[in-house]
Amino acid sequence: MKSNNPLSEILRPKKIEDIIGNEKLKNIFRKWLDNDSIKSFVVYGPPGSGKSTFIKAIINEIENDYEIYQISGALEGAKTLKSIVNKEDNLFSKQKILFIDEIHRLNRAEQDTLLLSVENGDVILFGATTENPAVRLNPALLSRVNVFKIKEFNEEEYEIVFDRIENFYKDVKIDEKAKKEIINYANGDLRRIINFVEALVESGTKKITTQEVDDFTGKTMHYDVDDKYSYISAFIKSVRGSDPDAAILYLSYMLENGEDPMYLARRIVILASEDIGLADPNALNIAVSAMTATEQIGYPECVIPLSEATVYLAAAPKSNRSYNAYLNAKEFIHKNNFSVPKHLMNAINKNMKKQGYGKNYKYPHDFGGFVKEKYMPEKYEKDIFYYPSNNGIEKKIGERIKKIWDWLKDY
């Protein structure tokens, strides 16, 4: 009877030695297994990079000697975690190993549930995540586990993946150019690569060329590294140039050809600050919200908030003056020596107070929100870095700045 398991699961390596790539990580895990010294760890990397494969290969070798629990951080919460860590031991109990897939989906309180049991060694924690643990995990939990990053495959390692697929099917051959297109389409995701080839073969295709790839997807899949940078450049310049139609076109092309949505979301956030800026401060809120939504809901639904943010940014008034202000200040500090005025510094001890640090500082809120005061270093009080534009909200910002500083600066 034919197995209902997807090909990606059938081909998943069962032993550490059979895993492709990441040789250093394989050596570390092999030594742990050989020395019977399994430790808590979190492994992170993009979807389909082999995180769960590593963990399941370890579990395959030790499952008879440990009490194994496997849960998803996206589906389980504090109740399940507490039931595992608080389960009472008896004479026949084995050491607990808890594998949490998508561990970044646990909230802070749920992560805290693990702290004591991991620290005491009552539970050995295996975690897998697509997010950087330094950002998404509690510092307290991070200090109790080892963190490993999965490295991306090189060409030779992808070739091994395709060899294993062809060896499984025997009579299937994949053209070299088709392999590259499939890798680009899947954005390097091994699971997507294998599932894509499986779908082609199940449709009756035995000789896979670029034509079969294009026909199967219903679109031309030519999107390599050079294309990526050409299209992202066109996207950025279209938003900057206030053409929502062109911007949406390039956004759609990249997403439909397998571009990482988070890569585009990050570019949109940068655009909001760099090119819209204070002409419409709400643009940054829209962009950050779109990035958060993209991270939370994933592809394909993330195209909706990404499209909304793209149109908003393209239609918004433009200003790069706040970013230019930073560049102007950066240039200044490389050309001039200066020190912070004494009245702006805190007197952290009696000696500094005697020397006049913090003396005569005027607290603006005691004067209705603004008071005539000099904040720039001595000799540079009249220097200007930020020149407001007359676009959008920034025009009002500029009018206020010019009004309150007309006694000192020539805007």
Side-chain angles (χ1 to χ4, degrees), residues 102-119:
E102 297 186 273
I103 192 171
H104 65 278
R105 299 290 292 273
L106 297 180
N107 62 39
R108 300 282 172 171
E110 290 166 345
Q111 291 179 35
D112 286 345
T113 303
L114 302 168
L115 294 180
L116 185 60
S117 56
V118 172
E119 182 174 12

Side-chain angles (χ1 to χ4, degrees), residues 376-391:
M376 288 287 286
E378 189 178 356
K379 297 193 304 182
Y380 303 107
E381 291 91 346
K382 294 186 178 182
D383 281 36
I384 298 173
F385 301 135
Y386 174 57
Y387 294 89
S389 74
N390 290 319
N391 299 332

Side-chain angles (χ1 to χ4, degrees), residues 41-170:
F41 69 89
V42 172
V43 61
Y44 73 104
S49 58
K51 303 179 295 296
S52 296
T53 296
F54 265 110
I55 293 175
K56 290 182 178 181
I58 294 173
I59 290 175
N60 286 339
E61 293 200 34
I62 62 175
E63 58 185 351
N64 293 328
D65 301 317
Y66 292 84
E67 191 172 344
I68 310 293
Y69 298 89
Q70 301 185 46
I71 67 172
S72 168
L75 301 176
E76 306 289 351
K79 183 178 180 180
T80 300
L81 293 173
K82 289 178 180 178
S83 69
I84 294 171
V85 300
N86 294 331
K87 184 178 179 181
E88 292 187 7
D89 293 334
N90 56 50
L91 183 62
F92 303 102
S93 295
K94 300 177 182 179
Q95 169 74 62
K96 299 172 189 171
I97 288 181
L98 173 58
F99 169 30
I100 305 179
D101 197 13
E102 297 186 273
I103 192 171
H104 65 278
R105 299 290 292 273
L106 297 180
N107 62 39
R108 300 282 172 171
E110 290 166 345
Q111 291 179 35
D112 286 345
T113 303
L114 302 168
L115 294 180
L116 185 60
S117 56
V118 172
E119 182 174 12
N120 292 340
D122 296 333
V123 171
I124 297 174
L125 176 64
F126 294 171
T129 172
T130 55
E131 304 296 325
N132 187 340
V135 177
R136 298 303 299 269
L137 298 187
N138 287 357
L141 183 59
L142 273 178
S143 70
R144 291 164 169 80
V145 300
N146 297 278
V147 177
F148 302 111
K149 182 178 182 181
I150 295 287
K151 291 186 177 180
E152 295 182 7
F153 276 19
N154 57 37
E155 289 186 12
E156 291 77 14
E157 290 163 345
Y158 279 120
E159 190 63 37
I160 296 174
V161 175
F162 286 111
D163 286 344
R164 291 185 180 181
I165 295 173
E166 290 178 336
N167 288 335
F168 177 82
Y169 282 118
K170 308 298 184 185

Side-chain angles (χ1 to χ4, degrees), residues 64 92 111 121-122 135 137 169 173 181 190-191 217 313 320 334:
N64 293 328
F92 303 102
Q111 291 179 35
D122 296 333
V135 177
L137 298 187
Y169 282 118
K173 293 297 177 185
E181 282 202 6
L190 298 180
R191 190 183 300 108
T217 59
L313 267 59
N320 66 348
H334 287 295

Side-chain angles (χ1 to χ4, degrees), residues 327-396:
L327 297 178
N328 292 337
K330 179 181 177 181
E331 182 180 6
F332 176 87
I333 64 175
H334 287 295
K335 292 181 178 180
N336 301 281
N337 294 318
F338 63 91
S339 59
V340 176
K342 277 189 176 182
H343 69 283
L344 298 182
M345 300 175 66
N346 289 330
I348 59 176
N349 55 51
K350 291 181 178 180
N351 189 43
M352 290 182 68
K353 191 171 183 179
K354 289 179 181 180
Q355 294 179 40
Y357 289 96
K359 185 178 181 180
N360 297 324
Y361 168 67
K362 300 173 184 175
Y363 187 56
H365 297 291
D366 289 340
F367 298 86
F370 178 79
V371 61
K372 291 182 179 180
E373 178 70 280
K374 294 179 181 179
Y375 300 95
M376 288 287 286
E378 189 178 356
K379 297 193 304 182
Y380 303 107
E381 291 91 346
K382 294 186 178 182
D383 281 36
I384 298 173
F385 301 135
Y386 174 57
Y387 294 89
S389 74
N390 290 319
N391 299 332
I393 293 175
E394 193 167 33
K395 182 178 181 180
K396 293 183 177 180

Side-chain angles (χ1 to χ4, degrees), residues 131 259-267 291 294-295 306:
E131 304 296 325
E259 185 55 74
D260 180 7
M262 284 302 295
Y263 168 74
L264 296 172
R266 288 190 291 268
R267 290 306 315 178
M291 183 173 69
T294 297
E295 180 182 33
L306 289 176

